[in-house]
Amino acid sequence: MEKIVALCKRRGFVYPSSEIYGGLQGFYDFGPLGVVMKNNLKRLWWDWMTKEHENIVGIDGAIITNPKVWEASGHLKSFVDPLMECKKCHHRFKADDIEGDKCPDCGGSLTEPKNFNILMPAELGVIEGEKIKAYLRGEACQTIYLDYKNVLDSTRLKIPFGICQIGKAFRNEITPGNFLFRQREFEQWDLQWFCRPDEMEQWFEYWKKERMDWFKSIFTHPENLGFYKHEKLAHYAKKAFDIEYIASPIGKEIEGIHWRGDWDLSRHAQFSGQDLSYTDQETKEKFIPNIIETSGGVDRTFLFLLLDAYTEEADRIVLKLNPKVAPYKAAVFPLLANKPALVKKAREVYDDLRQSIYVAWDDRGNIGKRYFFQDEIGTPWCITIDFQSLEDETVTIRDRDTMKQERYKINELKSYLEERLKQ
Ligand code: GAP
């Protein structure tokens, strides 16, 4: 983990937020490479959801909602972390993290666990006394339930169907830590799948498999992924599984597959007074759709992908990221930076490729140093323009993982890279 955190800062993947002021615990910024990788990841998820599944549409909901939402959802009452306080040094600890009854910092005795709500409040309005207390959303999915009726009325969707969203969520985590794993501001990707109550079993198994297959398709070592079955369930849930990164040295959960039944729509119908039932147009049957949720952390996936790809070999550090996820797909170098003919040819290749593919340019130092740098940021292919290129319009392509070099025609480069990126 320490090596990943250092690499993230050194190469511009992730920085501690507001670092010049000493930072703020549980908040991070994505740097130039991090934002590209995170966007790649989100695009892969979004396209997979909405293009590969006919009956799924997306939304992008507001972060602040009517505060009643959090009453209806149960978060105001039960979104709590039990904390214990040391009677001597007054440090607070998550009850789950404590073994025994003594303070880990000073050995003082601890209070009984007390509950603290982790919803993050926000004040709306400017006039003292008239301000409204609202909340930053504690889970992104609530907006999907709120928009469910609007989506149904404005599209031609019929049950079963899904609404998906990628968006920020906020939690006053008592013990933020482990880098991106437990933050106070983070991003979730959610699918809420609306189906008939009697089809829940079949859809639950379907989504469990679909999501695992998707994660396996982007991780370097798919064998590092597994399921965790929850034994302790919410009262409305019949099943809940986590997809885990089992090789993790910290927490393991990446995504939850949750049986939410009719809980959310029934509660919002009750608290809003609106009819949120669904009428089957053919049979005229009226019912509250049941929901299966797949809710994952974008930042946790990002972190686990880096952990999974990080490799130390003889004299190099390599991020063996899936090319689809890697920030740059290729890097272009002139063999020598002081030979104008090589630089000119290399710039032609670079300018042409970057119309359609995210490519890096590098003419610093020697080729070895450039390979070292690109390996460390996960660039799958390095293209070098050398003296032979000026004669026969070919270049070398060096593969990040095998370090093998092969010659290709310049006019075949784009299709070579595009083909490889499809695999
Ligand atoms: N809508 C259901 C829900 O929010 P969750 O298990 O609390 O369920 C879903 O969160 C996912 O969000 C988790 O599997 C995790 O990947 C991510 N997540 C939750 N809390 C997080 C935090 N404090 N920091 C980073 N990611 C978090």
Side-chain angles (χ1 to χ4, degrees):
M1 268 296 276
E2 273 168 27
K3 288 177 178 173
I4 295 290
V5 175
L7 188 147
C8 279
K9 183 151 182 237
R10 187 167 72 245
R11 297 301 186 204
F13 282 91
V14 181
Y15 313 123
S17 192
S18 48
E19 196 183 12
I20 59 168
Y21 288 101
L24 191 60
Q25 218 192 350
F27 294 90
Y28 287 92
D29 295 341
F30 286 79
L33 291 185
V35 70
V36 176
M37 176 167 151
K38 196 177 183 198
N39 283 341
N40 289 345
L41 207 49
K42 291 197 281 185
R43 197 173 320 108
L44 282 171
W45 185 91
W46 189 267
D47 286 351
W48 182 84
M49 279 289 172
T50 61
K51 288 188 187 163
E52 293 194 27
H53 299 90
E54 200 182 340
N55 245 14
I56 297 180
V57 295
I59 61 160
D60 182 10
I63 279 170
I64 297 181
T65 53
N66 187 307
K68 275 195 189 155
V69 169
W70 305 103
E71 236 178 277
S73 69
H75 283 76
L76 272 178
K77 224 181 188 170
S78 59
F79 202 39
V80 289
D81 253 349
L83 285 195
M84 299 165 94
E85 187 172 320
C86 171
K87 290 178 188 162
K88 204 164 138 201
C89 70
H90 300 289
H91 288 170
R92 287 179 175 171
F93 304 92
K94 231 171 149 167
D96 291 350
D97 297 340
I98 293 291
E99 279 173 27
D101 56 0
K102 293 285 176 238
C103 170
D105 288 351
C106 73
S109 55
L110 296 167
T111 60
E112 286 299 305
K114 273 191 246 161
N115 284 339
F116 286 81
N117 194 289
I118 61 171
L119 270 182
M120 207 178 269
E123 276 192 336
L124 305 184
V126 288
I127 300 169
E128 281 310 324
E130 290 181 20
K131 289 185 181 174
I132 300 171
K133 186 170 178 190
Y135 300 92
L136 305 184
R137 60 185 179 194
E139 57 174 5
C141 65
Q142 288 298 325
T143 354
I144 296 182
Y145 313 134
L146 306 176
D147 282 340
Y148 142 85
K149 202 73 185 168
N150 279 333
V151 171
L152 259 189
D153 292 346
S154 55
T155 64
R156 289 156 174 261
L157 288 173
K158 279 194 209 149
I159 229 158
F161 67 90
I163 305 178
C164 69
Q165 179 181 230
I166 300 178
K168 293 258 181 167
F170 300 81
R171 295 181 189 174
N172 256 328
E173 295 283 1
I174 312 292
T175 48
N178 282 327
F179 196 35
L180 302 179
F181 186 79
R182 193 170 306 285
Q183 299 170 85
R184 288 176 164 147
E185 172 179 344
F186 54 96
E187 212 160 5
Q188 293 184 311
W189 46 39
D190 287 330
L191 165 72
Q192 307 293 318
W193 183 251
F194 300 79
C195 64
R196 299 179 60 93
D198 57 359
E199 291 181 351
M200 281 290 275
E201 286 285 353
Q202 115 197 23
W203 285 117
F204 191 90
E205 293 312 314
Y206 172 85
W207 283 112
K208 209 177 126 199
K209 177 171 183 320
E210 281 285 282
R211 292 305 297 141
M212 179 60 100
D213 288 350
W214 185 80
F215 276 107
K216 289 200 162 174
S217 76
I218 58 167
F219 270 73
T220 311
H221 303 102
E223 65 279 13
N224 284 340
L225 296 164
F227 282 116
Y228 169 78
K229 182 175 184 228
H230 282 269
E231 299 296 344
K232 232 171 101 186
L233 297 171
H235 67 272
Y236 51 81
K238 225 167 123 183
K239 295 182 188 180
F241 282 83
D242 289 341
I243 293 178
E244 291 191 327
Y245 182 65
I246 47 183
S248 168
I250 49 165
K252 296 180 173 34
E253 176 189 341
I254 321 176
E255 177 159 305
I257 321 288
H258 302 138
W259 179 298
R260 298 189 74 127
D262 66 358
W263 160 260
D264 303 279
L265 290 183
S266 300
R267 291 279 291 189
H268 285 303
Q270 183 194 338
F271 279 70
S272 67
Q274 304 286 316
D275 178 5
L276 297 182
S277 59
Y278 174 89
T279 306
D280 187 312
Q281 290 309 320
E282 276 151 36
T283 63
K284 302 295 170 214
E285 190 191 351
K286 200 172 163 184
F287 59 94
I288 296 275
N290 273 216
I291 293 176
I292 292 154
E293 160 184 80
T294 73
S295 179
V298 182
D299 315 76
R300 281 195 192 174
T301 308
F302 182 101
L303 171 61
F304 289 139
L305 282 169
L306 290 179
L307 276 168
D308 200 43
Y310 184 90
T311 315
E312 286 178 0
E313 286 174 0
D315 55 353
R316 62 176 194 150
I317 292 168
V318 201
L319 279 187
K320 294 192 173 173
L321 287 169
N322 182 316
K324 289 184 186 135
V325 172
Y328 291 116
K329 309 306 174 200
V332 177
F333 317 142
L335 179 66
L336 299 169
N338 58 359
K339 295 286 176 213
L342 290 181
V343 174
K344 182 168 174 280
K345 190 83 207 156
R347 285 231 55 114
E348 278 169 23
V349 170
Y350 170 68
D351 285 338
D352 184 42
L353 287 180
R354 74 194 172 104
Q355 304 301 318
S356 53
I357 298 166
Y358 206 67
V359 280
W361 168 265
D362 201 349
D363 58 7
R364 296 166 304 167
N366 60 35
I367 285 283
K369 282 195 182 139
R370 296 180 205 160
Y371 285 153
F372 184 86
F373 179 87
Q374 296 299 333
D375 285 346
E376 214 187 27
I377 62 171
T379 309
W381 298 290
C382 288
I383 299 164
T384 304
I385 285 71
D386 55 17
F387 292 105
Q388 191 179 328
S389 313
L390 303 177
E391 284 164 20
D392 64 3
E393 292 285 313
T394 64
V395 293
T396 63
I397 300 185
R398 183 252 197 189
D399 184 283
R400 174 195 68 197
D401 300 342
T402 62
M403 296 195 283
K404 278 203 186 124
Q405 297 187 28
E406 286 181 87
R407 283 202 90 82
Y408 280 88
K409 290 208 171 97
I410 290 176
N411 62 11
E412 287 172 2
L413 271 181
K414 206 179 266 181
S415 53
Y416 169 87
L417 293 175
E418 281 167 359
E419 271 312 305
R420 299 291 302 268
L421 283 167
K422 274 191 211 148
Q423 288 165 13

